[in-house]
Amino acid sequence: MRLHKLTFAALAVAAGLTLTACQNGEDGAAQGGPSSASTASTPSSASTPSSSGGGSSSGSSDQGGGKDSAGTGSNGKGTAAGTGSTENGKAGKCRTDDLEITAIDSTIGGDTDGTVAVQLKNHGSRDCTLSEYAGVDLKTNAGSLSAQRTGEHPGPAVLKKGATISFGVNYPLNTSGGSGVRITGLVVTPPDETKSVTLVWPGAATLPVTDGTGSPVKVGPIGSAGQGG
């Protein structure tokens, strides 16, 4: 009986040692677990520069985009500024209400045609521009007669504040001895305007009656009859 008890006791001690060894092995494995997890986290940490590199690449792209955008904005502003500067650099069109319009006889003795000089004085508050031709109509007892342009193209003229510019109206003189066509008025419409001014006709009283083959009434471009200050 005592031998059996000793054997059982020895078996119990051996079992206890085996159990302890197993537990120690499990604890070691458990401790090795976090170490393995830590090792696994290293690649994750290594992937961070890759992610950071992606951010840098994106930042470079954004920066490049910023330059393009800034360049476009700069060009856009430059264009807008250039356009604005050009517009501001140009004087506005002369309006009928800004002009004092008069007409004088400027026929020179011995000429075959008569000439009336129409003067435009800028009494507005700013300089303004006049394109090449004004509209000119003669009022007669036979109806309205529109003057034909001479065809010259000197370009627009700038009329400074307070300055005067003139253009000529040429018409055939009535040397037929007949009563002719009586002129009752001169209608002037400044270039690019619709508002007209009716003036007293300062030239010869009549035009010769023609069959359409005679010299027509002609109007020269702005500045064709001299310019005064």
Side-chain angles (χ1 to χ4, degrees):
M1 288 292 289
R2 186 173 181 178
L3 179 61
H4 286 296
K5 288 182 180 179
L6 289 173
T7 301
F8 289 145
L11 289 173
V13 171
L17 291 173
T18 301
L19 181 60
T20 301
C22 291
Q23 288 176 346
N24 288 338
E26 289 175 358
D27 290 341
Q31 290 177 355
S35 175
S36 174
S38 175
T39 303
S41 67
T42 302
S44 174
S45 175
S47 68
T48 302
S50 174
S51 173
S52 174
S56 175
S57 174
S58 174
S60 176
S61 175
D62 290 343
Q63 192 174 29
K67 288 180 181 178
D68 291 342
S69 176
T72 301
S74 176
N75 290 338
K77 289 180 181 178
T79 301
T83 303
S85 176
T86 300
E87 290 177 354
N88 292 335
K90 290 182 179 179
K93 293 178 181 178
C94 296
R95 300 302 181 190
T96 303
D97 292 338
D98 293 330
L99 299 172
E100 180 184 339
I101 305 175
T102 57
I104 60 172
D105 183 12
S106 61
T107 303
I108 299 175
D111 286 351
T112 56
D113 287 338
T115 302
V116 166
V118 178
Q119 299 179 333
L120 309 174
K121 182 176 182 179
N122 181 3
H123 63 72
S125 60
R126 58 182 175 81
D127 297 352
C128 60
T129 60
L130 292 162
S131 59
E132 297 174 338
Y133 287 90
V136 172
D137 296 281
L138 299 186
K139 296 174 70 175
T140 75
N141 61 341
S144 181
L145 175 64
S146 295
Q148 299 179 13
R149 296 178 177 182
T150 59
E152 301 167 76
H153 295 288
V158 176
L159 185 58
K160 293 187 176 296
K161 176 184 175 182
T164 300
I165 195 168
S166 303
F167 64 88
V169 179
N170 297 325
Y171 62 96
L173 295 172
N174 183 14
T175 59
S176 64
S179 59
V181 178
R182 185 165 54 88
I183 303 173
T184 60
L186 171 64
V187 181
V188 177
T189 308
D192 302 318
E193 270 284 57
T194 56
K195 186 175 182 180
S196 302
V197 174
T198 301
L199 307 173
V200 174
W201 174 252
T206 63
L207 295 173
V209 177
T210 67
D211 57 3
T213 60
S215 176
V217 177
K218 293 184 178 180
V219 55
I222 300 293
S224 61
Q227 182 173 354

